[in-house]
């Protein structure tokens, strides 16, 4: 494999996709604000100041204050930490579990494959939010449980994806050669098949993160995710909801953040898919 | 027809089993003792826990417990912690709202998706096609609760055209279409927007597939009108996958209705599930989960039957 050449071709292909680059830029800014939150946020996101509640945007409070007088901009900056962290952790968790199971099922086949694919089918058929709510009802609503639950309901996507690639790669000549040379099943799976099945997983992850962020926000909005006063974007929309007639800005800003980050990830994912896998059909 | 439907129904049995088993596993795998989940808070501690466990059958093997829980659910012995009414009765009251909302969103989505997909497929990679793709990405990126609140702000707070919550005017009963319609307009739009992108993408690629088929070239070389080819020849073939995707979107819509019903305070299945989860009303949570599974199965069955009528290869074969 001509690694360097290949990589520069992929990078150039990606840079030609303007929306993908724009999405990536927005996400870099968002990542920066998440990492540097304590230095960037002008105020403590939890500090109440009832004397200055419902303020319109001013130089002191660039995006105004909420119903408790907390600085909205500071809360949004801290909120980016929660959303990005949850999105990434959920995808890493679901992606690794799904990849491992899909690899085993595809390579070993037999009853394991059969059983796993039935489970995957059932998970696909089920309305995931209904399932998530049922599990949250049992475990209790908080961000850590949301991560667990979203990871648990999302792995089937990765398992099915990896399995289909493994099935295609299993019969390839280079795999036969490796086997003839005496490579063990574990070695064939990990050294020969896995690296060649990872590109679609990376692309799928780029679309999985925004889905997890949206799910976290929806659960926060329903009161089943992050709990107040945590500055999570969905919970902020939920808290601002009763003031929709009085001060619509309270729900506007966190919603803009969610939409912007999710849209950027989707643009980035589109750009990465086209760059990494030019033959992939855009369905 | 009946035989075909029955065959499809039998094929869907594993799915019903799967969803109900997941529901059951939730109770068993949850931290703590199922007794504390199945007994209303005020009765806990009062009686002997072991006796209760025996009475609920929790000392029996798991498969037997599963069967008896399903029986309790179906016979209405499973009751809400809240008002002590059978969970099935509560779900039965909420179900029509969700069904009406789902049907209306499906109808709106299909009505919008097919013309959009046609425009995009007939001029692939044109400005209009790219516009449709961009719109799709926007559609899946907007949080539905936020979009819903935005609609409430404009159409209720500013214009006062539509009611923001509930399903019917206070004092009214039933599902009189003219009474409930204003309440359903905004929720339907929100639901439709969330699935429209998926539907458009499938319909577009399905149309593109058909346009590339040989029979289209034959029809063109016969000198048929482009309109005739499109509506008589292509539409029918291209719409089959759309029927499948409609059924596959049922679980998606049910997920969406959880959020949308909460946003617009619609007393449907989704709102019932959320309120039950917030109140730790486990019997209701279990029943709504199981009913959602049954609805998914029903959607699959409806798609199979739709196929039967649309595709002579299945009907006669």
């Amino acid at each position: 494999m001509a690694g360097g050449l290949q990589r520069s071709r992929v990078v150039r292909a990606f840079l030609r996709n303007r929306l993908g680059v724009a999405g990536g830029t927005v996400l870099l800014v968002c990542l920066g604000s998440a990492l540097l939150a304590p230095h960037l946020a002008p105020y403590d996101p939890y500090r109440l100041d009832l004397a200055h509640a419902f303020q319109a945007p001013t130089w002191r409070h660039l995006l105004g204050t909420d119903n408790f007088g907390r600085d909205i901009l500071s809360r949004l900056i801290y909120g980016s930490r929660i959303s990005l962290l949850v999105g990434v952790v959920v995808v890493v968790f679901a992606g690794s579990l799904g990849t491992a199971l899909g690899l085993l099922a595809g390579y070993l086949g037999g009853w394991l494959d059969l059983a796993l694919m039935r489970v995957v089918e059932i998970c696909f058929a089920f309305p995931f939010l209904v399932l998530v709510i049922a599990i949250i009802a049992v475990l209790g609503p908080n961000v850590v449980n949301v991560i667990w639950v979203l990871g648990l309901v999302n792995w089937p996507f990765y398992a099915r994806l990896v399995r289909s690639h493994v099935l295609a790669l299993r019969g390839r000549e280079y795999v036969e050669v490796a086997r003839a040379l005496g490579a063990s099943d574990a070695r064939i799976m990990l050294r020969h098949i896995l690296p060649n099945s990872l590109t679609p997983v990376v692309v799928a992850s780029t679309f999985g993160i925004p889905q997890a962020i949206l799910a976290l926000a929806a659960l926060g909005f329903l009161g089943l995710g992050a709990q107040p006063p945590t500055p999570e974007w969905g919970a902020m929309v939920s808290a601002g909801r009763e003031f929709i007639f009085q001060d619509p800005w309270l729900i506007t800003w966190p919603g803009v953040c969610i939409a912007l980050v999710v849209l950027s990830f989707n643009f980035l994912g589109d750009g990465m898919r086209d760059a990494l896998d030019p033959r992939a059909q855009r369905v | 027809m009946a035989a075909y439907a029955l065959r499809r129904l039998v094929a869907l049995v594993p799915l019903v089993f799967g969803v109900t088993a997941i529901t059951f596993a939730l109770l068993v795998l949850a931290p703590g003792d199922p007794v504390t989940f199945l007994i209303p808070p005020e009765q806990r501690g009062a009686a002997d826990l072991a006796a209760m466990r025996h009475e609920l059958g929790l000392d029996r093997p798991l498969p037997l417990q599963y069967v008896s829980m399903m029986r309790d659910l179906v016979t209405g012995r499973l009751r809400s912690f809240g008002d002590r009414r059978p969970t099935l009765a509560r779900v039965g009251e909420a179900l029509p709202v969700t069904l009406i909302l789902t049907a209306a969103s499906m109808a709106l989505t299909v009505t919008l998706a097919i013309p959009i997909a046609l425009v995009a497929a007939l001029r692939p990679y044109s400005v209009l096609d790219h516009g449709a793709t961009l719109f799709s990405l926007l559609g899946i990126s907007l949080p539905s609760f936020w979009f819903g609140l935005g609609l409430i702000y404009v159409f209720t707070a500013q214009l006062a055209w539509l009611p923001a919550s509930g399903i019917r005017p206070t004092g009214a009963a039933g599902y009189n279409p003219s009474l409930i319609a204003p309440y359903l307009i905004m929720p339907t739009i929100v639901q439709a927007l969330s699935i429209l992108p998926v539907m458009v993408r499938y319909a577009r690629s399905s149309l593109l597939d058909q346009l590339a088929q040989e029979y289209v070239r034959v029809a063109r070389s016969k000198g048929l009108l482009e309109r005739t080819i499109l509506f008589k020849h292509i539409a029918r073939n291209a719409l089959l996958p759309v029927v499948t995707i409609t059924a596959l979107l049922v679980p998606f819509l049910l997920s969406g209705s959880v959020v949308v019903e909460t946003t617009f305070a619609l007393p449907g299945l989704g709102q019932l599930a959320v309120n039950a989860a917030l109140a730790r009303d486990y019997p209701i949570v279990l029943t709504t989960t199981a009913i959602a599974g049954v609805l998914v199965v029903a959607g699959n069955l409806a798609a199979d039957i739709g196929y039967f009528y649309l595709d002579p290869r299945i009907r006669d074969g």
Side-chain angles (χ1 to χ4, degrees):
Chain A
M1 246 187 245
L5 206 69
Q6 176 86 0
R7 204 163 302 139
S8 74
R9 188 198 61 77
V10 167
V11 170
R12 259 184 291 125
F14 177 76
L15 289 178
R16 267 201 302 276
N17 186 323
R18 269 172 295 172
L19 287 177
V21 173
T25 313
V26 170
L27 290 176
L28 278 179
V29 171
C30 187
L31 183 69
S33 86
L35 290 175
L36 301 173
H39 305 286
L40 285 178
Y43 295 90
D44 175 353
Y46 292 99
R47 206 195 62 197
L48 309 184
D49 183 5
L50 291 173
H52 297 99
F54 297 116
Q55 285 204 346
T58 57
W59 282 113
R60 285 176 52 119
H61 297 281
L62 285 178
L63 295 181
T65 59
D66 70 2
N67 50 317
F68 290 113
R70 295 174 297 202
D71 181 53
I72 293 181
L73 178 64
S74 304
R75 290 179 66 72
L76 290 177
I77 291 175
Y78 274 90
S80 66
R81 287 191 147 184
I82 304 175
S83 290
L84 287 184
L85 189 71
V86 170
V88 171
V89 173
V90 163
V91 166
V92 168
F93 175 35
S96 352
L97 185 64
T99 305
L101 289 173
L103 188 63
L104 285 172
Y107 187 78
L108 299 175
W111 65 266
L112 178 76
D113 188 32
L114 211 66
L116 202 71
M117 284 306 113
R118 287 296 88 73
V119 175
V120 167
E121 266 169 34
I122 290 167
C123 290
F124 268 115
F126 209 79
F128 93 98
L129 208 50
V130 177
L131 189 61
V132 166
I133 284 172
I135 305 177
I136 292 280
V138 175
L139 295 181
N142 61 55
V143 174
V144 176
N145 285 342
V146 168
I147 294 179
W148 277 114
V149 173
L150 290 181
L152 276 178
V153 298
N154 277 322
W155 68 264
F157 288 93
Y158 301 93
R160 199 172 68 163
L161 188 68
V162 170
R163 176 182 172 271
S164 69
H165 278 262
V166 172
L167 285 180
L169 291 172
R170 198 173 57 172
R172 288 282 189 84
E173 247 166 39
Y174 78 91
V175 175
E176 302 278 328
V177 171
R179 191 173 296 129
L181 288 172
S184 66
D185 279 345
R187 191 182 161 81
I188 294 176
M189 272 195 271
L190 295 177
R191 292 297 298 274
H192 298 286
I193 291 183
L194 183 62
N196 283 312
S197 329
L198 280 185
T199 304
V201 175
V202 170
V203 172
S205 304
T206 325
F207 292 110
I209 294 175
Q211 275 169 12
I213 290 176
L214 269 184
L216 170 78
L219 287 169
F221 174 75
L222 296 174
L224 292 165
Q227 299 296 310
T230 315
E232 192 272 321
W233 294 339
M236 285 173 72
V237 174
S238 175
R241 191 181 167 191
E242 52 178 305
F243 308 106
I244 182 171
F245 299 111
Q246 184 185 348
D247 188 354
W249 291 113
L250 292 193
I251 59 166
T252 306
W253 297 121
V256 168
C257 286
I258 303 168
L260 197 64
V261 166
V262 171
L263 193 64
S264 300
F265 267 112
N266 284 328
F267 283 154
L268 180 74
D270 254 13
M272 275 176 55
R273 182 185 48 201
D274 293 349
L276 284 168
D277 195 359
R279 281 159 304 173
Q281 228 194 335
R282 304 177 109 231
V283 182
Chain B
M1 172 65 216
Y4 172 79
L6 196 67
R7 232 179 13 249
R8 296 305 308 161
L9 196 59
V10 171
L12 290 169
V13 165
L15 188 61
V16 182
F17 173 76
V19 260
T20 48
I22 290 177
T23 319
F24 176 71
L26 275 180
L27 263 195
V28 177
L29 296 175
D33 193 316
V35 172
T36 54
F37 294 150
L38 291 174
I39 295 170
E42 67 274 10
Q43 283 175 30
R44 276 176 218 154
D48 183 8
L49 278 185
M52 260 178 192
R53 211 170 272 131
H54 181 74
E55 194 192 325
L56 287 165
L58 293 172
D59 51 358
R60 289 185 296 165
L62 287 179
L64 276 180
Q65 283 186 42
Y66 167 75
V67 171
S68 73
M69 194 190 82
M70 283 302 127
R71 200 189 47 217
D72 287 352
L73 197 163
V74 173
T75 55
R77 274 177 58 197
L78 205 59
R79 284 164 186 277
S80 158
F81 285 173
D83 58 5
R84 306 301 301 140
R85 290 170 55 218
T87 55
L88 265 194
R90 295 280 301 275
V91 168
E93 288 164 9
L95 194 57
V97 176
T98 303
L99 289 182
I100 293 171
L101 176 62
T102 306
S105 334
M106 280 292 189
L108 181 62
T109 309
V110 173
T111 327
L112 293 175
I114 291 177
I116 297 177
L118 256 179
V119 170
L122 288 179
R123 299 270 179 279
Y125 308 109
S126 65
V127 177
L128 278 173
D129 188 24
H130 283 302
T133 310
L134 199 65
F135 169 78
S136 297
L137 278 175
L138 260 172
I140 55 171
S141 301
L142 278 186
S144 60
F145 56 89
W146 188 61
F147 178 52
L149 290 176
L151 289 182
I152 290 179
Y153 181 73
V154 174
F155 293 101
T156 306
Q158 296 300 311
L159 298 170
W161 285 357
L162 295 169
S165 63
I167 177 72
R168 56 176 84 86
T170 36
Y175 297 95
N176 182 342
S178 60
L179 284 182
I180 63 171
Y183 291 83
L184 283 168
I185 291 175
M186 292 194 285
T188 305
I189 291 174
V190 175
Q191 281 277 66
L193 188 81
S194 71
I195 53 166
L196 187 61
V198 187
M199 188 84 98
V200 168
R201 273 196 275 180
Y202 271 89
R204 173 183 176 274
S205 72
S206 167
L207 279 164
L208 280 178
D209 279 352
Q210 292 300 327
L211 280 166
Q213 298 283 319
E214 226 151 74
Y215 73 84
V216 176
R217 205 177 323 149
V218 172
R220 281 206 183 115
S221 61
K222 278 203 308 192
L224 290 182
L225 281 175
E226 199 63 16
R227 204 177 43 215
T228 318
I229 302 174
L230 202 58
F231 290 107
K232 284 241 156 122
H233 298 242
I234 295 177
R236 236 171 135 147
N237 286 307
L239 286 186
L240 274 177
V242 176
V243 172
T244 328
I245 204 65
T246 307
L248 291 179
L249 285 173
V250 168
F252 207 83
L253 276 180
L254 288 178
S255 276
S257 72
V258 169
V259 177
V260 171
E261 286 174 12
T262 308
T263 310
F264 292 99
L266 283 175
L269 213 54
Q271 201 198 28
L272 183 67
V274 171
N275 288 339
L278 287 170
R280 301 287 173 99
D281 192 340
Y282 297 108
I284 293 275
V285 171
L286 284 179
T287 313
T288 47
T289 315
I291 294 295
V294 171
L295 286 181
V296 170
V297 171
N300 272 297
L301 191 67
D304 286 339
I305 292 173
Y307 249 79
F308 185 85
Y309 280 110
L310 285 175
D311 194 342
R313 283 168 297 190
I314 296 176
R315 198 164 52 214
D316 306 330

